[in-house]
Amino acid sequence: KRIKNQGRQFYCCAEKDKEKSCKKFVWVDEIKKSPDSNKNAMIDESKTLPNIVYIDETKAKTLRSLGIKIYVDCKLEKNATDSSSYMRNYFAKKKSEVPFKDHWFLKLVLDNYREKSSEYSKDDTWIISNNPTFSSNAFKDEFVIIAKSIYHGPARSGVMEVAVVGGDKAFKKSMVNLYAIHGPNLSSEFAMMENLAGLSSDFTHFPALESIIGKQSKEFGLSLPKKVNKKDPFELKMTQIELNLLANQMVEKHHLNYDQEKVLMTLVKWFKTSDRMNDNNNNNNTANREISPLLLVHGIFGSGKSFLLVILIIFVCQIAKIEENKELRILVCSATNTAVDRVLLGLMDEGFEDFIRVGSLRKIEKPILNYTLQFNEEKETLKELNNMLQDSSLSEKELKSIKKNIEDIKNGEMKKRIEKLSDVPIVGVTCAASVFPVLDGNVFPVIFLDECSQMLEPLSMIPMNRFGCSKLLAVGDPMQLPPTLSGFGDDKALESGIGKTLFVRLAQLKNV
């Protein structure tokens, strides 16, 4: 229940001793609204307010009650001895290199305040300062540092490894009496920035990039190691007549309408049949080179876009099976778990189950859990599945699916899924989860981006650059809701800038 005048500002005597203090009291808004008020009548705030601002644990509690997760008496130092040895052992077990050369460790005082472990996550932002107003002033030796957590939350000792990503640079190797605010998680944003910084002009790594940016550029981004396939996965032994016959059989079997058939026959042009390659060699024909590796599918809600994706996936997998081509793999990707799961559930309805879903178990549809590979270790996965059994809203079918998944994992199914991941023809994952280490080393020449018109372009670029995309099929409807962005007041500037999606931009290119 809101108290009268709650949050209303006022002036009063700054003397803490009641016997010595005066009885002066006035509301700030009453002074400013008074018709008789003038500059002389206004109270000089520089004389009434204290020059020194400080935040003790009591004031910190007040700020936390307002949603500001602030910590006081923090310490920031480089290469903390009590944590660096643990981190070295961690990476030694993982057989991987330390991601950051400069190790910074933030020490939080958790005696009076500790958030739930679920509140901490990798890539959380931390705003750190040596003054309670979080001001940056070189003359007063005041600084503000922006950092991100490298792992999850702090250890029991309160120590947490962070990477400095912004702010002032004039700070020492060891600092005490600091203030720290636990900010939002920006894992997707950090992933987008790192991915854009890693884009390369080496088109052998990311063949579709040249068409996506709409022009040839030899000065684009940073160089990456070349990843050249021994064989073009789109070169086929079958003839064009055999390929067209296979496509026509798909049209008849699944009763595709005119527009869906048109998309399928356009996708057929991606493949280089044996007779067409021979004709091109003999006649020096460049027709294959002019076929765009980008295919856009525009359809309103309920027009059958997801069903079409299912049929296209089955079609490509049939070609790969006939050709015995394990290199021809498809990544089904979207910004949301719902969109990815909708396609995979459609595959299951068609009797196709040769796929793996990568992501967090809590966010994945229950029927797909038996095909899911989580980035956590096996013990954590089992713990999460057992916690899901406590959900009273689950149906009998969903409970059965979870229980079966638990039994499968206990019998070594998770290890089998990890081994299968490098060869399975279809993998489903969100754009944000495509950075998970479990997918390292995989290559997907074909990427299907669902709901492409509702995701930021830097987000949609992550899976394409990471997995060496050669052909892209993007699905969307620009007339539906655009990407959700906050903090932008100018809609026109938003539409022409970060708010302009990959789908919209590609639709404006002549070569798509």
Side-chain angles (χ1 to χ4, degrees):
K1 193 172 182 181
R2 188 173 180 83
I3 303 172
K4 186 179 180 181
N5 296 322
Q6 182 178 347
R8 193 177 179 190
Q9 295 180 327
F10 59 86
Y11 292 108
C12 67
C13 183
E15 180 59 55
K16 294 183 179 180
D17 191 340
K18 293 183 179 180
E19 295 181 358
K20 296 180 181 180
S21 65
C22 64
K23 303 300 180 183
K24 183 67 176 179
F25 182 92
V26 60
W27 296 107
V28 174
D29 53 359
E30 288 183 353
I31 295 177
K32 294 181 179 181
K33 291 180 181 179
S34 174
D36 299 327
S37 63
N38 51 53
K39 291 184 179 180
N40 296 326
M42 294 292 288
I43 297 176
D44 187 355
E45 295 185 8
S46 63
K47 295 180 180 180
T48 58
L49 296 178
N51 292 325
I52 300 175
V53 179
Y54 67 94
I55 299 177
D56 55 15
E57 188 57 38
T58 302
K59 292 182 179 179
K61 288 180 179 178
T62 303
L63 291 171
R64 289 169 193 149
S65 67
L66 299 173
I68 302 173
K69 303 173 184 177
I70 191 168
Y71 296 80
V72 298
D73 297 328
C74 301
K75 182 179 180 181
L76 184 67
E77 61 180 336
K78 202 169 187 179
N79 300 323
T81 55
D82 57 343
S83 292
S84 58
S85 60
Y86 167 79
M87 295 304 171
R88 283 196 297 269
N89 293 334
Y90 173 85
F91 282 106
K93 291 179 181 179
K94 296 291 183 181
K95 297 181 179 180
S96 58
E97 296 181 357
V98 178
F100 295 95
K101 295 181 180 178
D102 295 331
H103 292 272
W104 288 94
F105 294 87
L106 177 64
K107 172 73 184 252
L108 305 175
V109 178
L110 303 175
D111 296 339
N112 299 318
Y113 177 66
R114 178 190 286 270
E115 300 176 62
K116 294 180 180 179
S117 59
S118 59
E119 296 294 321
Y120 299 102
S121 185
K122 181 180 180 294
D123 289 332
D124 283 351
T125 52
W126 289 86
I127 301 93
I128 308 166
S129 180
N130 63 345
N131 64 90
T133 59
F134 288 81
S135 303
S136 177
N137 191 321
F139 295 101
K140 294 183 179 181
D141 200 23
E142 297 176 343
F143 64 81
V144 178
I145 301 171
I146 310 297
K148 71 172 183 177
S149 56
I150 296 181
Y151 306 101
H152 285 74
R156 291 181 180 179
S157 62
V159 176
M160 174 177 56
E161 187 174 5
V162 297
V164 176
V165 296
D168 299 315
K169 296 182 179 180
F171 50 86
K172 303 175 183 178
K173 291 185 178 181
S174 181
M175 295 157 284
V176 295
N177 300 324
L178 302 180
Y179 302 87
I181 294 178
H182 184 188
N185 182 273
L186 300 178
S187 58
S188 295
E189 287 76 6
F190 286 130
M192 286 189 283
M193 289 188 291
E194 291 170 6
N195 180 68
L196 290 175
L199 285 176
S200 171
S201 58
D202 178 11
F203 296 133
T204 58
H205 164 71
F206 182 2
L209 178 61
E210 187 173 0
S211 298
I212 288 172
I213 62 177
K215 61 179 180 180
Q216 293 186 1
S217 174
K218 299 302 180 184
E219 300 176 356
F220 189 77
L222 303 174
S223 296
L224 290 176
K226 290 187 177 182
K227 295 184 179 180
V228 182
N229 291 327
K230 295 181 179 179
K231 179 184 177 183
D232 185 350
F234 299 94
E235 291 184 357
L236 307 181
K237 299 175 184 177
M238 66 174 69
T239 64
Q240 189 65 46
I241 294 176
E242 293 171 333
L243 180 61
N244 290 341
L245 179 61
L246 188 63
N248 291 327
Q249 289 174 351
M250 293 294 293
V251 172
E252 294 178 5
K253 180 179 178 180
H254 299 284
H255 307 288
L256 301 185
N257 60 35
Y258 173 79
D259 292 323
Q260 292 170 334
E261 180 183 355
K262 186 177 179 180
V263 173
L264 174 60
M265 299 313 293
T266 304
L267 182 140
V268 166
K269 296 178 182 178
W270 281 351
F271 296 95
K272 306 170 186 176
T273 56
S274 57
D275 51 341
R276 285 181 61 188
M277 286 189 291
N278 292 331
D279 290 342
N280 291 339
N281 293 332
N282 295 332
N283 303 325
N284 196 25
N285 195 333
T286 59
N288 276 332
R289 300 178 188 175
E290 298 173 359
I291 297 172
S292 173
L294 313 177
L295 179 55
L296 303 185
V297 180
H298 178 202
I300 61 173
F301 178 78
S303 60
K305 299 189 297 295
S306 297
F307 174 73
L308 176 61
L309 286 180
V310 170
I311 303 307
L312 295 178
I313 290 171
I314 295 174
F315 174 69
V316 174
C317 288
Q318 282 187 355
I319 294 174
K321 186 177 180 180
I322 294 171
E323 295 283 324
E324 297 181 346
N325 185 354
K326 292 184 178 181
E327 302 294 327
L328 189 56
R329 308 173 69 204
I330 300 176
L331 184 76
V332 180
C333 210
S334 183
T336 65
N337 287 283
T338 303
V340 176
D341 291 345
R342 185 168 54 238
V343 176
L344 298 183
L345 287 171
L347 287 172
M348 293 175 66
D349 291 339
E350 296 294 329
F352 186 97
E353 299 181 0
D354 194 9
F355 63 83
I356 285 182
R357 173 73 159 92
V358 176
S360 175
L361 296 179
R362 293 180 291 104
K363 301 176 182 179
I364 294 174
E365 290 288 337
K366 303 301 182 292
I368 304 177
L369 290 178
N370 293 328
Y371 309 88
T372 301
L373 181 60
Q374 189 171 244
F375 60 94
N376 289 338
E377 294 184 0
E378 192 170 295
K379 289 183 179 179
E380 295 178 3
T381 301
L382 287 172
K383 182 180 179 181
E384 191 167 344
L385 286 169
N386 282 309
N387 290 335
M388 291 170 66
L389 290 175
Q390 309 304 318
D391 188 353
S392 58
S393 64
L394 294 175
S395 65
E396 287 294 329
K397 187 176 181 180
E398 290 174 334
L399 283 171
K400 185 178 179 180
S401 178
I402 296 173
K403 290 178 180 178
K404 183 180 183 302
N405 199 23
I406 292 174
E407 290 300 320
D408 288 344
I409 292 174
K410 289 181 179 179
N411 295 328
E413 182 63 27
M414 190 62 70
K415 294 180 181 178
K416 293 179 181 178
R417 292 176 193 173
I418 294 175
E419 295 173 356
K420 182 182 177 182
L421 182 61
S422 59
D423 294 325
V424 69
I426 308 298
V427 172
V429 66
T430 62
C431 293
S434 65
V435 299
F436 288 169
V438 71
L439 288 165
D440 288 351
N442 280 274
V443 177
F444 296 94
V446 182
I447 292 183
F448 285 2
L449 274 181
D450 198 7
E451 295 183 347
C452 186
S453 59
Q454 294 176 262
M455 69 177 78
L456 297 175
E457 180 166 0
L459 182 63
S460 61
M461 293 291 287
I462 293 176
M464 290 189 286
N465 182 44
R466 178 161 161 74
F467 303 113
C469 175
S470 296
K471 311 290 183 184
L472 170 67
L473 187 143
V475 181
D477 180 11
M479 300 296 104
Q480 292 186 35
L481 292 175
T484 303
L485 285 170
S486 59
F488 290 86
D490 190 346
D491 292 338
K492 292 184 178 179
L494 181 61
E495 291 176 1
S496 59
I498 188 66
K500 189 173 184 178
T501 64
L502 175 69
F503 190 93
V504 172
R505 189 175 63 78
L506 292 182
Q508 297 172 349
L509 297 180
K510 295 180 180 180
N511 62 329
V512 180

